[in-house]
Amino acid sequence: MADQDRTNIESSKKMARSAEGGSREFSGIVAIVVTVIAVGMSLFQVYTGFFGELPGSRQLSVHLTFGLVLCFLCFPLRRGAGGRITIADIILAVIGGAAAFYLFANYDHVVTSVGNAPTYDIVIGAVLIVLVLEATRRSVSPMLPIITIIFLLYAYFGPYIPGDLGHRGFRVKRIIDHVYMSGEGLWGVPLRVSATFVFLFVLFGAFLERIGAGEYLINLSFAVMGRFRGGPAKAAVVASCAMGSISGSSIANTVTTGAMTIPLMKKVGFKPHVAGAVEVAASTNGQLMPPIMGAAAFIMAEIIGVPYLQIVKAAFIPAILSYTAIFCIVHLEAVKEGIRGLTREECPPMIRTLLSGLHYLIPLFLLVWLLLVTMWTPTTSASWSILAAMVVALGNNVYRAYWRFPRVAAGATLGEDPDAYDTYRRRPQGFVGRRTVSEIVGALDAGARNMAGIAAACACCGIIIGVVTLTGLGLKMATLITEAAAGSLLLTLIFSVFASIILGMGLPTTATYIIMAAMTAPAIMTISSDLGLGLPIIAVHLFVFYYGIVADDTPPVGLCAYAAAGIAGADPIKTGWKSFRLDLAAFTLPFMFIYNTKLLMIDTTLAEILYIVPLCILGMFCWSVFIQGHWKVKTPIVERLLFLGLAFLLVNPNHLVVGDLLINRHLVNGLAIVSVAALYFWQRSRANRTPALAVTT
């Protein structure tokens, strides 16, 4: 790997650390103290996962205490500044931790004082709100605290706001009482989900990454896909899909897989910004891939009152279709540009790679089995899966220490170091214990640091929800959107898309989803009810959720694009726009499953699923041809529009009305398949007539 590529990768990893777990790197006693706090947070969460969460909001109080302390210690005053911890950071960490812990220490008093809180409770609440805003600014984004402050000002200045959005206004004491003292604000659903489901799943992903599962999945992707046309790009899609199923974090997915895939994509002929864009598009879609989806998916389950398993079930087919579209677009890009795959020498051996890390998948299979078969709660399932990951770490290190264990070093998968296939000899006494403890402590530490910013952001979102419930803003917005859309479901959906994209440019996915779920989802449900459509609530919330994720890589803002561009040595804006184009399938899929809820496996049979999925995959390929403008040969505009129409017909296999004639959906699907075949033979005949235009697919 070139020195410049290594420099770019290190720079992007620092950016990811800044976004995920703090940009400060500690040493000495400070490192020990921060690690002890982080490990303590993880152990507390695992303990409550096994033995039940603390009653009331006590669990949330302890969770936020740890989160604020870690935010102020791990994230500097200015993002990316790094440096040592200052006295001011320590003071803020102590005050923030004490203010958050106050609820745990005085829970009965706080609960009985709601609506009539003494002055000192209001002061403590005001301090906590301010420090939550500052912790969120440091660890997530300045935009979320700014939006939160706007909501707080809206609650106060209600009488001065004209039109339907105006209200009677509330005093500062009343606002703080509702946001801090009650369970409808800061201590509401977002923070509760963060303190239970989300933390354990993030910790589980940290364990899999620490014990080597991430590296194994990337190596396996190269072994399977590397030799095909555009192999590194296809390996990036497969690896990001696999990593997304255990991570749920876009930026971590981008940097982890991109460090290996982006240099190889450039090596086989992809332009730098295209290589970065492929990784960004594939990584952001990782939040859609079950079983571990983004944090917003757990919050969605809590908000709409359905088991998380139903969210996973509903998201499965759209996630597969989204990755199918990206995979097809990448293939057509390679065809169009004449890009080759890797040579046999450059790819790791498939059978050897497959067998070398099957044990890494044991915790993941256990998680799926506990969720789907035994129907355990997500919290209990994640806790036992974390324990299984610890056992795998121990077994893996015993095997390394006492048996010969051929392992491919990271560089060997690139074909640059043929001597990297080494053999682990018998290790010195104590190797197993030290390495296992190091991996377990490292995972506990990483999981807590990654969650610190999420805890602060969820508390911030709770403040917003508190203002919405206090002022009735959600109902007001639903009424305004309904009136503006003039009763049209399509217009309401389009308004929601624009709002999600605009918010998502400056907010993380979780915050975007929570705000949109409170503001626009009720409007969609209202119009659905008025029109007698009866849209399932899970379909409406998944619609909002998808656009919150898509906004994550929408230019000009998009941390994933900046990280990938750093690795690729490309322009981040150019990379972002290209990834936006590759990700256009995620833009259309929500409309498709809103109008055809069978894609969410709602009220459907196995036979219908087996009928729908192949048609949808073919539809996603047609969509890819429309995006790329190339199949066997360059596709003119008329053919591209035909492919667009075929994509919508195949992905939404309902009856088609032409004038007064109702055409059976099976006939429509048959005509669509015949049309795709006819276009294929037409393109092949053109390619045979003009061989210079054709590239072998």
Side-chain angles (χ1 to χ4, degrees):
M1 187 184 296
D3 291 339
Q4 184 61 45
D5 283 338
R6 295 184 190 279
T7 303
N8 292 340
I9 290 170
E10 288 304 315
S11 175
S12 295
K13 285 185 176 179
K14 287 182 180 179
M15 180 187 297
R17 282 196 298 269
S18 175
E20 294 288 317
S23 59
R24 283 180 170 142
E25 297 181 8
F26 305 104
S27 60
I29 187 66
V30 176
I32 295 175
V33 171
V34 173
T35 299
V36 167
I37 295 172
V39 171
M41 183 182 189
S42 293
L43 291 177
F44 164 75
Q45 297 285 166
V46 172
Y47 174 83
T48 57
F50 276 112
F51 300 104
E53 64 185 77
L54 301 181
S57 296
R58 293 183 177 92
Q59 172 99 3
L60 283 62
S61 175
V62 177
H63 176 74
L64 186 59
T65 299
F66 278 114
L68 290 181
V69 170
L70 287 174
C71 277
F72 287 116
L73 295 182
C74 295
F75 295 90
L77 182 64
R78 291 181 293 107
R79 288 177 63 84
R84 297 181 178 180
I85 296 176
T86 64
I87 297 298
D89 293 329
I90 296 174
I91 293 173
L92 290 175
V94 171
I95 295 175
F101 194 73
Y102 177 80
L103 176 68
F104 177 85
N106 302 275
Y107 183 74
D108 293 334
H109 161 73
V110 172
V111 170
T112 56
S113 300
V114 175
N116 188 30
T119 303
Y120 62 87
D121 280 341
I122 298 300
V123 172
I124 293 173
V127 169
L128 181 59
I129 289 171
V130 170
L131 292 182
V132 164
L133 293 173
E134 170 59 12
T136 306
R137 184 197 67 80
R138 290 186 179 209
S139 60
V140 179
S141 164
M143 189 58 64
L144 181 54
I146 290 172
I147 292 176
T148 306
I149 292 171
I150 291 173
F151 273 83
L152 291 170
L153 293 175
Y154 170 77
Y156 183 79
F157 289 105
Y160 307 100
I161 299 175
D164 294 334
L165 291 180
H167 59 88
R168 65 185 180 89
F170 299 91
R171 293 178 301 162
V172 172
K173 181 178 180 180
R174 178 72 177 93
I175 296 171
I176 295 175
D177 184 286
H178 184 79
V179 168
Y180 171 70
M181 303 290 287
S182 76
E184 297 182 16
L186 191 149
W187 310 109
V189 169
L191 190 60
R192 179 169 298 281
V193 174
S194 171
T196 51
F197 309 129
V198 176
F199 190 101
L200 291 173
F201 277 87
V202 169
L203 183 60
F204 176 63
F207 264 98
L208 291 182
E209 179 64 27
R210 179 66 64 167
I211 66 177
E215 180 185 341
Y216 167 71
L217 292 173
I218 295 172
N219 286 339
L220 184 61
S221 299
F222 273 101
V224 174
M225 291 291 169
R227 287 193 289 271
F228 293 100
R229 179 180 290 280
K234 293 174 180 176
V237 174
V238 174
S240 296
C241 177
M243 286 291 292
S245 69
I246 65 172
S247 170
S249 169
S250 300
I251 183 68
N253 201 345
T254 299
V255 175
T256 302
T257 57
M260 290 184 64
T261 60
I262 291 175
L264 281 178
M265 282 190 267
K266 291 168 59 180
K267 180 178 179 180
V268 298
F270 284 97
K271 297 173 183 176
H273 74 281
V274 176
V278 169
E279 187 55 57
V280 171
S283 295
T284 52
N285 276 266
Q287 293 186 69
L288 308 175
M289 181 56 65
I292 303 178
M293 301 168 66
F298 296 94
I299 295 174
M300 184 197 308
E302 198 73 11
I303 288 177
I304 65 179
V306 302
Y308 175 68
L309 180 60
Q310 285 192 27
I311 306 292
V312 169
K313 175 184 172 184
F316 183 72
I317 291 179
I320 294 297
L321 295 181
S322 181
Y323 271 105
T324 298
I326 296 174
F327 189 91
C328 292
I329 290 173
V330 164
H331 171 74
L332 294 174
E333 179 81 21
V335 170
K336 185 167 64 174
E337 301 295 332
I339 296 173
R340 66 173 180 86
L342 298 174
T343 64
R344 181 180 295 274
E345 292 73 22
E346 292 173 317
C347 294
M350 186 165 66
I351 300 301
R352 186 179 183 182
T353 303
L354 174 65
L355 298 178
S356 69
L358 283 177
H359 55 286
Y360 292 131
L361 302 181
I362 293 174
L364 187 60
F365 287 144
L366 176 64
L367 175 65
V368 174
W369 185 76
L370 292 176
L371 282 172
L372 301 183
V373 180
T374 65
M375 304 296 288
W376 285 9
T377 65
T379 302
T380 306
S381 301
S383 300
W384 281 101
S385 300
I386 289 170
L387 184 61
M390 294 182 186
V391 173
V392 168
L394 174 62
N396 197 27
N397 290 324
V398 169
Y399 186 52
R400 287 178 179 177
Y402 297 105
W403 285 273
R404 292 191 170 187
F405 181 69
R407 184 165 178 262
V408 183
T413 63
L414 309 184
E416 297 175 2
D417 186 6
D419 297 325
Y421 291 85
D422 61 358
T423 301
Y424 283 85
R425 304 179 186 280
R426 187 176 296 275
R427 299 294 185 175
Q429 192 172 12
F431 165 79
V432 173
R434 287 197 304 271
R435 186 178 179 93
T436 304
V437 170
S438 174
E439 290 179 346
I440 292 175
V441 170
L444 294 172
D445 180 36
R449 293 198 195 194
N450 292 344
M451 274 301 302
I454 296 176
C458 286
C460 227
C461 292
I463 295 172
I464 294 174
I465 291 179
V467 172
V468 170
T469 58
L470 179 65
T471 61
L473 180 60
L475 182 60
K476 296 176 188 291
M477 287 298 300
T479 302
L480 287 175
I481 292 173
T482 302
E483 291 176 354
S488 168
L489 177 61
L490 180 61
L491 281 178
T492 306
L493 295 175
I494 292 173
F495 290 158
S496 300
V497 170
F498 278 110
S500 295
I501 296 299
I502 292 171
L503 273 178
M505 286 182 179
L507 296 181
T509 301
T510 303
T512 302
Y513 165 72
I514 290 171
I515 295 173
M516 298 308 297
M519 309 287 281
T520 63
I524 300 173
M525 292 299 298
T526 300
I527 288 187
S528 166
S529 177
D530 292 344
L531 296 176
L533 299 177
L535 285 177
I537 189 171
I538 193 172
V540 173
H541 281 258
L542 274 175
F543 181 89
V544 174
F545 174 64
Y546 265 60
Y547 283 108
I549 290 175
V550 171
D552 221 18
D553 64 358
T554 302
V557 181
L559 190 58
C560 291
Y562 281 86
I567 298 174
D571 179 6
I573 300 299
K574 197 174 181 181
T575 302
W577 281 115
K578 183 66 176 180
S579 69
F580 174 79
R581 184 184 176 196
L582 294 176
D583 218 10
L584 279 175
F587 264 88
T588 55
L589 267 176
F591 282 92
M592 294 176 182
F593 64 63
I594 279 286
Y595 286 101
N596 178 23
T597 56
K598 290 188 182 297
L599 290 175
L600 303 179
M601 291 194 277
I602 297 175
D603 297 329
T604 186
T605 63
L606 178 60
E608 287 178 315
I609 293 172
L610 294 176
Y611 175 80
I612 289 173
V613 170
L615 291 173
C616 290
I617 290 174
L618 181 59
M620 285 294 99
F621 179 78
C622 292
W623 173 261
S624 304
V625 176
F626 165 72
I627 294 296
Q628 285 289 21
H630 190 97
W631 188 1
K632 303 294 288 185
V633 293
K634 184 177 179 180
T635 306
I637 185 66
V638 174
E639 287 185 26
R640 291 179 74 170
L641 292 175
L642 283 174
F643 278 111
L644 175 63
L646 290 171
F648 279 97
L649 285 177
L650 288 164
V651 176
N652 184 21
N654 290 319
H655 296 284
L656 180 67
V657 178
V658 180
D660 295 328
L661 179 63
L662 181 67
I663 305 176
N664 184 276
R665 64 170 180 160
H666 303 299
L667 180 58
V668 172
N669 292 331
L671 291 173
I673 293 171
V674 171
S675 299
V676 173
L679 286 169
Y680 168 79
F681 287 113
W682 167 245
Q683 287 222 344
R684 195 172 74 169
S685 67
R686 288 169 53 206
N688 292 336
R689 291 199 304 269
T690 54
L693 298 178
V695 182
T696 303
T697 58

